Each structure stands twice: as structure tokens, then as C-alpha cells.
Amino acid sequence: VFQQALPSMLQALARRARASASRRGLRHAACETPQPVGWNYPTSIRFGPGRIAEIGVACSELGITRPLLVTDPGILNAGTIVADAVECLGGCPVYGTVRGNPTEADVDGGVSAFIANDCDGVVAFGGGSAMDAAKCVALMSGQTRPLFDFEDREDWCDRVDVAGMAPCVAVPTTAGTGSEVGRAAVVTDERDHTKKIIFHANMLPGRVILDPELTSKLPPDVTAWTGVDALSHCLEALASPVYHPMALGVALEGTRLVKDYLERAVADGSDLEARSQMMVASTLGATAFQKGLGGMHALTHAAGGLLNTQHGQTVAVVMPYVLEFNRPAVADTFAAVARYLDLRDQSLTGVVDWVLELRERVGIPHSLSALGVSDDDVPTLARMSVADPSAGTNPIPLVAEDVSDLLRTCIAG
């Protein structure tokens, strides 16, 4: 059992977390009297094999006649997938140099291409990085302020000139990030190596095409990394103390789909049923995390910003450790999750054990040290994690001392 194998460091950390939860009276918000809140749910989605053929129609519905297709070099060089999409659009310019962890320079390059080609809309085509960069290109195509003036802080989104935003159609080619149904994008600030969230409600793409055939050529490792990223969105939404009952239901079903179909998709990329259901799981996860994320993403954003680690792989490594850290606040919630998943051990421990088994079966490392993270990185990573916006909806407050201990445990494995 995983908890019995925890090092004494994490046992002490769990005790401090329990004390913290007790002091603050933290409970899962679904068990409390609801407070007034507002809910916003996704957009128009075309789902099914072959739906990429409708990309031109999707653009037309948004009034796009001269789209810029934004993608990354990996997708651009992956056979004819981009060329086929361009053909469906009747020809269009392509901006295809987005990096794996996109930066302001990637966005600026896309905006320059947008203006130079007199475009009037954006097609976000690829994985999470390409889609995040594309959504920022659509945002920035008519703005006068710099990108990071629109970081997700206070009321900074009110700075956006909405009339200067271009419409966007999103076409994911991986199943994990769910950026196609997100109102935000993650961009690395190279000045301090932090990942920053750029937000505006209108960044949500106006049309989405979920075509599972576009994911059939993904290699097993990328399938695993992105699939566990989808799982992390579901689990962190379930753990978030924010009251959002629709998101709870969506997150539960997304978790079940990952349990039933991720291993199949990793084992056989041509399994169209598994690919289809993982695309749905990805979209469900990103829809659910309107409820909030937490420590998994706070730690992962920090490592990605400082050390350029792969997002899905990193979040998969830290996942069980963060679940244990949050145990005092989420044990009852995850007992219900275990029952829904029909796990043998219908408790949080059963969920953690399942995550560990899944991680091993799809070939994900057990420790951050395997990703090149060392104890020397802990002070900086702890500071960055606590400051990350995702930390705000972790069910246990994240403070530097506790996060430092948590990171050391993740590094040791």
C-alpha cells in the first residue's frame, strides 16, 4: 500500500497538512451551503472521425475567410496532417514554429504572420502548446498592450480590447490538455522562467473539431503523457474546494474514461474507440477544471518554467504525492471517486494505488529526479509553486516549507 511506503518526511508533511486543514476548517465545498457563483460551460464542438473535413465550414460560421493555421514543428512534420487541413481550408498560411513550452516570442511571431498575411481568424491546430499559442495570437492580433498585461490576475482581463480579438477554431491533435475548451493559455515568461496564465473569457474558441483520427499516429509515450494530463485535470477539479456541481460530474466521468481507455490507446494507436474516448476525456477534464486546479499543476508549471520539463510527464510524476498531501481535505471525495471507478479499495488509498499502477503500466517514471530535477532546484521551485495561480484552489493551503518537503519527496520517489 502506497501510504505505508511513504517516507517519514511525507508522513510528517501529511500531519502538518491535517493540522492546517483543521485550523482553517477546510472542507470540500460540495458539502457546504452553496454561495452565489457563476458558471460558464464550453462551446460548439464537432466530434467524430473525419470531422476535420468540416474545418472550412467551422471557420465560415465564425466569419473567418483568411485563417492563419498555428501549429508546432512536430505536427508540421508529421506526415500530411497539416497539409490535409490546409487543403480542407482551400489554402491558408501556416505559422509552425511554436515551441513545446510556448513563450511570448512564439506569440509575437504568430501575430506578425497574422498581420503580414492580412488574416481575419486563427486555426489552433496541434497539442496544448500550439493551441495555447494560437489562442494568444488570436487575442493579441489587435491589442496595443503587451501579452503579460493580460495575465490572470485581479481584473487584468478587463484591459483587453475585445474588438481587437480574432475568432478562433481549435483542432486538437493530442488528447490531454483540453485547451480547445479553455478560456486561458499558459505562456512561459523568459525573463524569470515562470509559466503565466493569460486569460480572457473570449479566448474560448468559437468552434472545436474533435477528430480522433488526428491522434492515431501519436507515439505511445506522448499518448501516455497527454492522457495522464487529462486525468490530472479531472482529479484536481474533484479536489478543488470551489463549488461547481456540474464540474464534479464531468470530472468523474472523465476519470472513468481515462481508467477504461488510456492503456488501450497507448497499446494500440489505431484503436479508434480508445482514441475517441480519450479525446472526450481530455475535453471533459479541461471543462471540469473551471472548478480549479491545484498542487499538481502548481509544481508542474514551476518545473516546466524553470527546467523545461514535459508537462504531462511531470504532472504524472507528482500526482500521487499531491493526492497524499491533500488527503486530510479530500479523503471523503476520493472515496466516492473510488466507488465510481469500481476500485477494489474504495478509498483515497485505492485511488492512489490505481494511479501508481497506471503510471507504471504506461511507462511514466516514479520520481522527478528521473526528469532532471534535483534537490538544488527545490528552493526556487517551491517559491514558484506557491506563487503559481493554480495553487490558489488546492484544498490544502500551499506554503513554502510544506511545498519544499513535498518536492523533495517527489524528487526521491
Side-chain angles (χ1 to χ4, degrees), residues 159-182:
R159 299 171 171 178
V160 172
D161 177 3
V162 176
M165 298 178 69
C168 180
V169 174
V171 185
T173 61
T174 64
T177 69
S179 183
E180 68 274 5
V181 291

Side-chain angles (χ1 to χ4, degrees), residues 178-196:
S179 183
E180 68 274 5
V181 291
R183 301 168 297 163
V186 179
V187 180
T188 298
D189 187 342
E190 293 183 293
R191 297 170 299 181
D192 58 7
H193 302 288
T194 58
K195 287 197 170 188
K196 293 181 176 174

Side-chain angles (χ1 to χ4, degrees), residues 69-290:
L69 189 147
V70 177
T71 190
D72 63 70
I75 298 298
L76 191 60
N77 297 317
T80 64
I81 185 172
V82 172
D84 293 343
V86 169
E87 183 178 356
C88 290
L89 287 165
C92 73
V94 174
Y95 175 67
T97 59
V98 177
R99 283 171 277 188
N101 285 305
T103 67
E104 186 177 21
D106 292 313
V107 176
D108 289 345
V111 172
S112 295
F114 185 96
I115 294 170
N117 289 281
D118 191 28
C119 296
D120 61 0
V122 172
V123 172
F125 194 91
S129 296
M131 286 192 290
D132 278 3
K135 286 156 58 178
C136 287
V137 170
L139 166 70
M140 296 301 295
S141 60
Q143 306 300 319
T144 58
R145 303 182 71 133
L147 177 66
F148 293 121
D149 274 9
F150 308 124
E151 188 181 353
D152 189 15
R153 293 170 175 256
E154 293 88 38
D155 58 355
W156 286 19
C157 62
D158 292 341
R159 299 171 171 178
V160 172
D161 177 3
V162 176
M165 298 178 69
C168 180
V169 174
V171 185
T173 61
T174 64
T177 69
S179 183
E180 68 274 5
V181 291
R183 301 168 297 163
V186 179
V187 180
T188 298
D189 187 342
E190 293 183 293
R191 297 170 299 181
D192 58 7
H193 302 288
T194 58
K195 287 197 170 188
K196 293 181 176 174
I197 298 175
I198 309 301
F199 172 84
H200 191 277
N202 289 8
M203 288 177 69
L204 178 69
R207 296 291 185 274
V208 172
I209 294 176
L210 297 182
D211 186 338
E213 291 181 339
L214 299 179
T215 68
S216 63
K217 301 299 183 184
L218 282 177
D221 56 354
V222 177
T223 300
W225 301 340
T226 55
V228 179
D229 190 24
L231 175 63
S232 74
H233 297 155
C234 295
L235 297 183
E236 294 227 275
L238 289 161
S240 165
V242 174
Y243 181 71
H244 200 321
M246 289 184 288
L248 279 174
V250 169
L252 271 173
E253 179 62 3
T255 302
R256 184 191 70 81
L257 291 176
V258 173
K259 176 178 179 287
D260 289 350
Y261 293 102
L262 177 56
E263 290 182 64
R264 281 176 52 178
V266 170
D268 180 5
S270 66
D271 184 337
L272 195 57
E273 181 186 11
R275 291 293 193 183
S276 298
Q277 297 295 353
M278 284 306 302
M279 288 205 93
V280 173
S282 175
T283 299
L284 292 180
T287 301
F289 78 64
Q290 284 193 27

